[in-house]
Amino acid sequence: MGKEQYMDRAEHALYKIYNRFPVVFDRGEGVYLYDTDGTEYLDFGAGIAVMALGYGCREFQEAVKDQVDKLCHTSNLFYNAPSIGAAEKLLKVSGMDKVFFTNSGTEAVEGALKVAKRHAFNKGMGQDYEIIAMKHSFHGRSLGSLSVTGNDHYQEPFAPLIPGIRFAEFNNLNSVKALFSEKTCGVIMETIQGEGGIYPASEEFLKGVRSLCDEHDALLILDEIQCGMGRSGSMFAWQEYGVKPDVMTVAKALGNGLPIGAFLACKGAAKVMEPGDHGTTYGGNPLVCAAADKVLELFEEKNLVAHVQEIGQYLWEELEALAGRLDCVAAHRGKGLMQGLELSMPVGPVVKTALLEEHLVLISAGSQVIRFVPPLVIEKEDVDEMIVRLERAVKSVVRSVAEA
Ligand SMILES: *Cc1c(COP(=O)(O)O)cnc(C)c1O
């Protein structure tokens, strides 16, 4: 079946929520995707920071297939072995004390927010509590996670959202301090803002927020859904800062394409929830946990975090060099394999031209930033190839803007 036919059927059948690019992906291998016509695309988006191991990772596929043949689902009324293995590995690499598996990132955030609310409830704050979140943040689309997502455009059609949320400026400690009171039961933020434009927290800011939380007995929730799982060049981005959250969220790369997320808690925060406070039918089922268990095993076996440090440095240097050759680059930010190039023009046309003319998959972060979140297994030659294609795409767009 041709691409046009697929697109036509999709537009008839699927709820029109996304503006999609005219590409129908069919299969993947390594860092490359192939569409239904067999065209090859270099992928620097990784399904939005999901496909950490790349496509077609044989060991991962075998582990998932074995589990499909054995048992996909039982429910959380019983124990299952893959969830125990995945949980233990996650605790080992994070230093947290307890894990709860979810089906997505937004659900991990929901769980984390419930921990903060339960913490307030246990302290006798009743419903008169507040949670501080950051402007330009992104935590998901469910009503709870949307409530802490600092984006008016996303929030407005769905207001009123959950009450008691106050928004501070990311990397502005005084703005957080100004919102703190005896009502504050938690602060939620991304360690590196993703969707908002690739902004890493400054060390001073994260340490300062940690101290404010300690002073006020509030929980620090770090959302590592995008920046976690090795992407920043550490297993979790916060591990570079000398602070530790009370609660953290993961998802995206955890299942390498299978839908799984988790919230993790430590110390007192690992004890505030009680049986019956939360639950999920699919969350932590044997299939997705076998996938996550294998992902965590392969991270260690392949020494992926060290690889990200090396390739991330190389990507940094090559993007710096590219920025030097192009007049339209306004800024370059990020860590490891989570980097952003801010342009002095909208990036939409660049992303589209890269995809359709250069067969390079890139994603944006807001309207002015190109976001680089490739599979963590990329090599230097993939970076070189990406730079060649990106440079041609940018020049093509600049040329057509000049001609218009
Ligand atoms: C993607 C993302 C989410 C939401 O995850 P979903 O799996 O799409 O629900 C939450 N927080 C951050 C930082 C993300 O990047």
Side-chain angles (χ1 to χ4, degrees):
M1 182 171 294
K3 178 171 91 174
E4 305 296 334
Q5 269 174 297
Y6 278 118
M7 285 166 49
D8 206 44
R9 284 170 59 200
E11 294 308 327
H12 274 96
L14 299 174
Y15 206 127
K16 183 78 187 154
I17 301 261
Y18 300 106
N19 288 317
R20 299 176 203 266
F21 293 103
V23 175
V24 188
F25 284 126
D26 187 45
R27 62 187 185 85
E29 188 59 45
V31 191
Y32 285 87
L33 280 165
Y34 299 83
D35 68 14
T36 44
D37 299 330
T39 306
E40 184 181 81
Y41 297 78
L42 176 60
D43 182 17
F44 264 63
I48 316 191
V50 168
M51 300 302 296
L53 303 174
Y55 302 96
C57 173
R58 301 288 172 265
E59 293 145 293
F60 172 79
Q61 289 173 333
E62 287 309 320
V64 173
K65 284 178 198 170
D66 286 349
Q67 191 60 44
V68 166
D69 290 339
K70 229 169 145 184
L71 183 67
C72 285
H73 182 79
T74 56
S75 93
N76 286 305
L77 299 173
F78 310 99
Y79 296 95
N80 77 71
S83 69
I84 303 165
E88 286 173 346
K89 288 190 179 71
L90 209 42
L91 295 181
K92 185 172 166 233
V93 290
S94 65
M96 303 297 277
D97 294 331
K98 290 283 192 284
V99 54
F100 181 95
F101 287 116
T102 67
N103 308 292
S104 65
T106 201
E107 283 174 80
V109 171
E110 292 292 321
L113 293 174
K114 280 179 77 173
V115 173
K117 291 183 77 159
R118 188 58 150 117
H119 172 67
F121 182 80
N122 292 354
K123 287 204 291 177
M125 289 164 84
Q127 286 164 0
D128 195 25
Y129 63 83
E130 289 177 354
I131 293 172
I132 298 172
M134 302 298 146
K135 291 177 184 169
H136 308 296
S137 59
F138 183 80
H139 297 292
R141 305 298 200 129
S142 58
L143 291 170
S145 62
L146 181 60
S147 301
V148 291
T149 289
N151 181 320
D152 293 339
H153 178 70
Y154 289 170
Q155 285 199 349
E156 196 189 71
F158 306 103
L161 295 166
I162 65 171
I165 311 295
R166 313 279 308 267
F167 285 97
E169 303 269 347
F170 191 66
N171 279 340
N172 178 341
L173 189 57
N174 282 332
S175 79
V176 179
K177 203 179 271 178
L179 295 180
F180 251 97
S181 74
E182 69 285 354
K183 292 183 180 183
T184 309
C185 70
V187 176
I188 182 166
M189 64 164 135
E190 298 151 271
T191 319
I192 303 173
Q193 284 195 335
E195 188 88 5
I198 316 292
Y199 288 94
S202 70
E203 190 169 324
E204 182 213 357
F205 181 67
L206 194 50
K207 284 189 164 152
V209 173
R210 175 70 272 179
S211 304
L212 287 167
C213 287
D214 291 339
E215 279 164 38
H216 293 83
D217 187 26
L219 301 182
L220 175 60
I221 303 168
L222 292 180
D223 183 342
E224 292 259 341
I225 289 169
Q226 188 166 157
C227 62
M229 294 296 296
R231 185 157 292 283
S232 70
S234 298
M235 193 62 193
F236 297 104
W238 58 261
Q239 291 169 331
E240 288 163 46
Y241 289 81
V243 298
K244 191 175 175 182
D246 300 289
V247 183
M248 64 176 275
T249 56
V250 284
K252 293 205 160 91
L254 179 60
N256 195 51
L258 266 75
I260 181 170
F263 69 82
L264 295 92
C266 70
K267 293 179 271 176
K271 296 182 192 123
V272 301
M273 298 278 266
E274 291 180 7
D277 276 348
H278 199 47
T280 160
T281 299
Y282 291 131
N285 88 18
L287 178 61
V288 292
C289 285
D293 188 61
K294 198 56 168 187
V295 167
L296 290 160
E297 186 186 311
L298 291 172
F299 259 75
E300 197 173 319
E301 217 176 278
K302 292 176 187 283
N303 213 351
L304 218 47
V305 173
H307 180 74
V308 171
Q309 286 167 9
E310 189 194 332
I311 298 292
Q313 179 60 30
Y314 187 70
L315 175 64
W316 183 270
E317 287 160 11
E318 293 305 304
L319 284 175
E320 283 292 292
L322 178 68
R325 298 195 293 274
L326 298 171
D327 292 336
C328 61
V329 176
H332 176 203
R333 295 183 290 271
K335 288 187 175 178
L337 288 175
M338 183 172 180
Q339 296 186 30
L341 264 196
E342 185 173 326
L343 303 189
S344 55
M345 61 185 193
V347 296
V350 175
V351 169
K352 194 166 179 181
T353 302
L355 178 72
L356 300 180
E357 288 176 21
E358 298 295 335
H359 302 141
L360 166 65
V361 180
L362 290 173
I363 55 181
S364 57
S367 60
Q368 305 267 113
V369 178
I370 301 174
R371 168 167 35 168
F372 302 88
V373 285
L376 304 185
V377 294
I378 59 162
E379 297 292 347
K380 288 180 178 171
E381 64 250 33
D382 301 314
V383 173
D384 295 341
E385 183 61 30
M386 182 279 290
I387 294 283
V388 169
R389 296 186 192 199
L390 173 60
E391 185 161 5
R392 279 199 303 249
V394 172
K395 285 181 173 162
S396 157
V397 170
V398 169
R399 219 178 304 122
S400 63
V401 168
E403 282 163 10

